[in-house]
Amino acid sequence: MRQLYIGGSWTASASDDPIEVVNPATEEIIDRVPAGSPDDVEAAVAAAGKAFPAWSRTAPGERGKLLAQAADLLKQRADEIAKTIATDMGAPLGFALKVQTLMPAAVLASYADLAESHPRESRVGNSLVVKEPIGVVAAITPWNYPLHQIVCKVAPALAAGCTVVLKPSEVAPLAAYALAEIFDEVGLPPGVFNLVSGRGPVVGEAMAAHPGVDMVSFTGSTAAGRRVAALAAETVKRVALELGGKSANIILPDADLPLAVKVGVANCFVNAGQTCSAWSRMIVQRDQYDEAVHLAVEAARGYRVGDPFDGSTKIGPLVSATQRDRVIRYVNRGQEEGARLVAGGTERPHERGYYVEPTVFAAVEPGMTIEQEEIFGPVLSLIPYTNEDKAVEIANDTKYGLAGAVWAGTEEHAVAVARRLRTGQVSINGGRFNPLAPFGGYKQSGVGRELGEHGMEEYLEVKSLQL
C-alpha cells in the first residue's frame, strides 16, 4: 500500500484501511492507497500551517521558479502519467496525454508566470491596497480529470503563497501521487504541499471542518458541494465550489447544422461523457430537428467503445461499476418518461469493463429527468424549440449554469444569444476551450472561478493600509 505525503516526507497513514484502485477496463485491482483518517488530516494541516509563514514570505519569483520546474518535470513524465490516467480512470491514451496531462502542465506553467506578474498592490486615494495569500487551503478533487482538477487548485494556491492539503478522489488517485513526487523532486519546502488520500465522508469532511484550514476548494457533485459548504460555514472559511452542469448547445437556424451537430456530439461524448461542462442538451429549431437527430445518430455510430490503449478507441470505460450503473438507470428513466432512444442503450458493449454505448435520445421534452439532471456519461438529449426566445428559456431552465454553446450564421448573432445565457462559459461557433480564461458556474454549478488571473484571485485576501 502507498503512503501519504505530509510535511515533505512519505509517511504511513494512521489508518490500516486500504482503498483498492481498480482498472475500469479490466475490473482488476491495480494498486492500493491509504484510506486516510482524521488524524492524518490533523498532521497534514499542522504541517501546512507550520510552512505557511515562510512560504507566504518567499519572493513570488522564487515560488514561480519552483512551479516552472514542476511544470517541466510534468512534461518530461507526461507519457508515463498519461498511461497511469488511462489505467486508473479509463481515458483513451491519446486524450489522457493531450488533455489529461499536457494541459495541466500548461496550466502549471501559466501559474509559474502569474506568481510574479500578478499585481499585488494598488492605490486608492490615501490607501495602499495589498493582496495577501489566504493561508492553508484544503483542495478536494474529483476523478474525471484527476490531474487537471488538482493543478487548477494547487497551482494558483501555491503561486499566491498559500500552503495546501490535497485529497484526491479515491477512485482515481494515482496521478496525484505522481504530482506529489514531482513537487518533492523540485524541492518544494516541507509542508507547502501535502497529500492525504481517503474517502470524502472521512478525510474530505475533516478537511472542510478543520479550524486550521482557511479555505476549501472543492470540485464534485452539487450535493457534495452543499455538504462541504455547510461544514466550512462552521468556521466561516472561504469556499470555492466547481460543481455539476447540464450545459445547453443551442443551434440557431442560420448555423452550419452538420458542423454544429458533429462538434456538439464530440463535446458530449468526450471523456466518456464524464465532464461537468459537457454539452449534454442539444437544442435545435423544430424545422431542422429531424435532420439534426439523423446527423447525431450517424456521428454517434462513429464512436468506437473499447480499450483505452487501443488507438482506435474514442470512448473508454466509465470510471467504476457505480458510475456505469448510474448511467444505465438514466437511460432506462429516459425511455420510461417517453423519450425515444435512437442510438446506444443499455446493452453492454464488452463482457468485461464498465462500458456504456454512446447514447442519443430524441423526443426529449423540457422537464424530463434526462433533460434536467446531470448524467455524467455519454448520453445526449436533443430538444426542439420554436423560436429564439424559447431556445434561451430551455437552456436556462435548469438549476445548473456551468457552460454551453451557441451556433449561428454570424459571430455577432451567436454572441447576442450567449449573453442571455445564465452560465459561466459559452463556446461561440465552436470556439476552443481557453485554459487561461476563467472557468466556473452560475446557480448551483458553483461559486468562484478557476484558471488564469481569476483563479489566482480566489486564493488572495485584500487588505487596505490607510496612509
Side-chain angles (χ1 to χ4, degrees), residues 22-28 87 89-90 274 305-308 315-325 328 346-357:
V22 176
N23 180 334
T26 65
E27 304 183 34
E28 296 171 342
T87 302
M89 185 263 154
Q274 299 168 127
V305 178
D307 181 357
I315 295 181
L318 299 186
V319 76
S320 66
T322 298
Q323 188 62 22
R324 178 198 60 200
D325 294 346
I328 293 300
T346 59
E347 294 286 329
R348 294 187 64 171
H350 298 286
E351 194 172 312
R352 280 205 312 171
Y354 308 130
Y355 293 98
V356 173
E357 290 280 6

Side-chain angles (χ1 to χ4, degrees), residues 245-261:
K246 193 66 180 177
S247 300
N249 178 18
I250 297 177
I251 304 176
L252 298 170
D254 57 345
D256 182 336
L257 183 64
L259 177 62
V261 172

Side-chain angles (χ1 to χ4, degrees), residues 55-116:
W55 181 246
S56 64
R57 292 194 300 267
T58 299
E62 292 302 310
R63 295 198 296 262
K65 286 179 183 177
L66 287 169
L67 293 180
Q69 292 170 20
D72 288 342
L73 270 180
L74 182 51
K75 291 174 191 174
Q76 291 172 27
R77 293 183 59 180
D79 288 336
E80 166 209 338
I81 293 172
K83 289 176 183 175
T84 296
I85 293 172
T87 302
D88 80 342
M89 185 263 154
L93 183 59
F95 182 80
L97 176 62
K98 182 178 179 181
V99 177
Q100 297 269 22
T101 307
L102 291 178
M103 185 168 69
V107 171
L108 186 52
S110 75
Y111 280 110
D113 294 335
L114 281 170
E116 187 167 20

Side-chain angles (χ1 to χ4, degrees), residues 167-292:
K167 189 205 88 69
S169 167
E170 63 271 30
V171 178
L174 301 185
Y177 278 83
L179 185 63
E181 292 167 0
I182 287 171
F183 283 147
D184 188 69
E185 186 173 343
V186 302
L188 208 62
V192 170
F193 172 83
N194 306 273
L195 184 156
V196 180
S197 58
R199 298 182 175 89
V202 178
V203 172
E205 294 203 3
M207 288 166 60
H210 199 291
V213 169
D214 299 289
M215 174 181 174
V216 182
S217 181
F218 170 85
T219 296
S221 71
T222 296
R226 290 193 199 99
R227 176 64 177 163
V228 166
L231 290 167
E234 292 297 319
T235 49
V236 199
K237 55 173 61 80
R238 184 181 297 180
V239 176
L241 302 172
E242 200 269 278
L243 307 176
K246 193 66 180 177
S247 300
N249 178 18
I250 297 177
I251 304 176
L252 298 170
D254 57 345
D256 182 336
L257 183 64
L259 177 62
V261 172
K262 178 183 177 181
V263 175
V265 169
N267 182 280
C268 182
F269 292 164
V270 72
N271 208 35
Q274 299 168 127
T275 301
C276 54
S277 57
W279 309 339
S280 55
R281 296 184 298 149
M282 186 176 290
I283 302 174
V284 185
Q285 208 273 341
R286 189 170 294 278
D287 291 344
Q288 298 176 317
Y289 185 77
D290 289 344
E291 182 182 359

Side-chain angles (χ1 to χ4, degrees), residues 40-56 132-140 153-154 156-158 160-166 190-196 206-217 232 235-240 458-461:
D40 295 321
V41 172
E42 191 68 40
V45 172
K50 183 178 179 181
F52 174 71
W55 181 246
S56 64
E132 300 176 343
I134 194 167
V136 175
V137 173
I140 304 172
K153 301 177 188 307
V154 172
L158 296 180
C162 301
T163 55
V164 175
V165 179
L166 168 69
V192 170
F193 172 83
N194 306 273
L195 184 156
V196 180
M207 288 166 60
H210 199 291
V213 169
D214 299 289
M215 174 181 174
V216 182
S217 181
T235 49
V236 199
K237 55 173 61 80
R238 184 181 297 180
V239 176
E458 296 291 334
Y459 300 92
L460 295 170
E461 288 280 24

Side-chain angles (χ1 to χ4, degrees), residues 380-395:
L380 174 65
S381 295
L382 280 89
I383 306 140
Y385 69 87
T386 52
N387 57 57
E388 195 170 288
D389 288 343
K390 188 64 178 178
V392 171
E393 178 186 325
I394 293 169

